[in-house]
Amino acid sequence: MPNIIEQYHITKEPYYRPVADEVELFEAAYSVRMPMMLKGPTGCGKTRFVEYMAWKLGKPLITVACNEDMTASDLVGRFLLDAHGTRWQDGPLAIAARYGAICYLDEVVEARQDTTVVIHPLTDNRRVLPLEKKGELVHAHPDFQIVISYNPGYQSLMKDLKQSTKQRFGGLDFNYPEHAIETEIVAHETGVTKDIAEKLVSIAERARNLKGHGLDEGISTRMLIYAGSLIVKGVNAHAACRVALVRPITDDPDMRDALDAAVATFF
Ligand code: ADP
């Protein structure tokens, strides 16, 4: 295997705690190379899941964090000028298609729509990627699969995937894990006791109930892991929750006080 793809192999098993039958479903989807869409709020385990699946399937993983300034060239590739003239450089999608990686486009809806259409020919039975500027048609390697993530709650009318894009993917729903599983994850990832992990999860559950009532997003599993990591470092639980759970998600003084009060009932 060429060096260029070697670096994308995941050598150590990532910790992933399955929540339902998502591992089996993804394996079945991979076996037919179905493009997959992981749907769910930020920080609930989508990226970790795809890392785990790439490891389990023994395939390299190329992750691209999408943003609104991203152009099709950022995905596909471009000509670069160097001392010897111009030289083509494959973008991450072209590398993944050529060498048979799983390509994970994180928050794909952030990218402009003209960017998302470049993935279309890779998602139907043609499985090709046209490098128009280079005049090359890349036929995807048999191992190649495309995976995108998508946060449905967070889209405005202006920012949604086109139906013609959505319908090219199978979808898996993700959400914050249920109480006992999330407690296990927080304890495992941070080293806090089960008791502290459980309190952190309970605070998050209160905040999640406020989503749509003054909060745009609930406290994510990722944030609980930040809080737990601070506690393990000796930061007092109150301060850790203020820093990692409350301040990042609200600028509103009333909401901040309500969340601080929720913290105070547990710590
Ligand atoms: P997303 O991609 O949905 O924004 P991540 O996959 O980055 O979120 O999840 C944030 C963190 O939460 C991960 O780094 C991991 O520590 C933890 N996490 C969430 N769900 C799980 C899970 N099911 N198993 C293991 N870790 C998890």
Side-chain angles (χ1 to χ4, degrees):
M1 188 170 282
N3 278 344
I4 191 164
I5 198 71
E6 205 55 62
Q7 59 185 320
Y8 295 107
H9 265 282
I10 299 170
T11 47
K12 190 167 162 282
E13 177 175 355
Y15 166 71
Y16 180 72
R17 167 68 165 87
V19 175
D21 53 359
E22 69 276 22
V23 173
E24 293 75 24
L25 285 171
F26 192 95
E27 276 178 322
Y30 182 77
S31 72
V32 293
R33 306 298 185 268
M34 185 188 288
M36 289 301 284
M37 175 194 297
L38 312 182
K39 301 174 71 172
T42 182
C44 75
K46 301 183 294 300
T47 302
R48 181 62 64 89
F49 172 70
V50 84
E51 285 167 356
Y52 173 75
M53 291 311 305
W55 172 82
K56 195 161 194 286
L57 295 163
K59 303 298 169 211
L61 174 68
I62 300 184
T63 298
V64 185
C66 300
N67 64 69
E68 61 221 26
D69 295 328
M70 213 168 81
T71 63
S73 304
D74 292 325
L75 276 183
V76 168
R78 55 168 54 91
F79 280 106
L80 297 179
L81 259 182
D82 65 15
H84 310 290
T86 54
R87 171 172 69 82
W88 174 262
Q89 189 180 47
D90 275 344
L93 189 59
I95 296 174
R98 243 187 242 286
Y99 301 108
I102 295 176
C103 189
Y104 178 50
L105 304 178
D106 194 9
E107 289 297 345
V108 72
V109 77
E110 290 295 331
R112 293 199 320 241
Q113 287 196 343
D114 60 322
T115 312
T116 43
V117 298
V118 307
I119 62 185
H120 283 192
L122 278 170
T123 54
D124 53 37
N125 53 13
R126 290 173 289 169
R127 283 177 57 93
V128 291
L129 179 65
L131 309 180
E132 272 160 24
K133 289 187 185 136
K134 188 168 181 247
E136 182 188 348
L137 189 65
V138 177
H139 291 269
H141 185 288
D143 291 351
F144 170 77
Q145 186 197 23
I146 189 157
V147 181
I148 62 176
S149 79
Y150 170 72
N151 180 350
Y154 171 85
Q155 264 71 59
S156 67
L157 277 178
M158 294 301 291
K159 268 197 173 173
D160 196 359
L161 287 179
K162 290 202 272 199
Q163 274 297 334
S164 62
T165 304
K166 282 185 188 174
Q167 294 196 7
R168 289 163 183 274
F169 290 83
L172 276 178
D173 275 326
F174 282 74
N175 212 330
Y176 311 119
E178 55 117 320
H179 191 89
I181 296 178
E182 194 168 29
T183 301
E184 191 185 314
I185 293 169
V186 173
H188 180 279
E189 289 282 88
T190 63
V192 292
T193 60
K194 182 165 176 283
D195 179 53
I196 291 180
E198 188 149 24
K199 288 181 176 172
L200 291 171
V201 170
S202 301
I203 293 167
E205 284 166 346
R206 292 218 176 166
R208 288 168 193 165
N209 290 332
L210 297 172
K211 185 173 170 182
H213 305 278
L215 279 186
D216 296 334
E217 281 282 313
I219 291 174
S220 65
T221 311
R222 179 189 296 122
M223 297 172 81
L224 297 183
I225 289 165
Y226 285 161
S229 309
L230 292 178
I231 293 171
V232 165
K233 284 286 168 204
V235 176
N236 122 340
H238 234 117
C241 291
R242 221 171 31 235
V243 169
L245 305 184
V246 179
R247 296 304 178 273
I249 57 166
T250 183
D251 303 319
D252 175 66
D254 293 336
M255 183 56 74
R256 182 194 63 205
D257 292 347
L259 292 173
D260 280 345
V263 170
T265 63
F266 291 98
F267 288 111

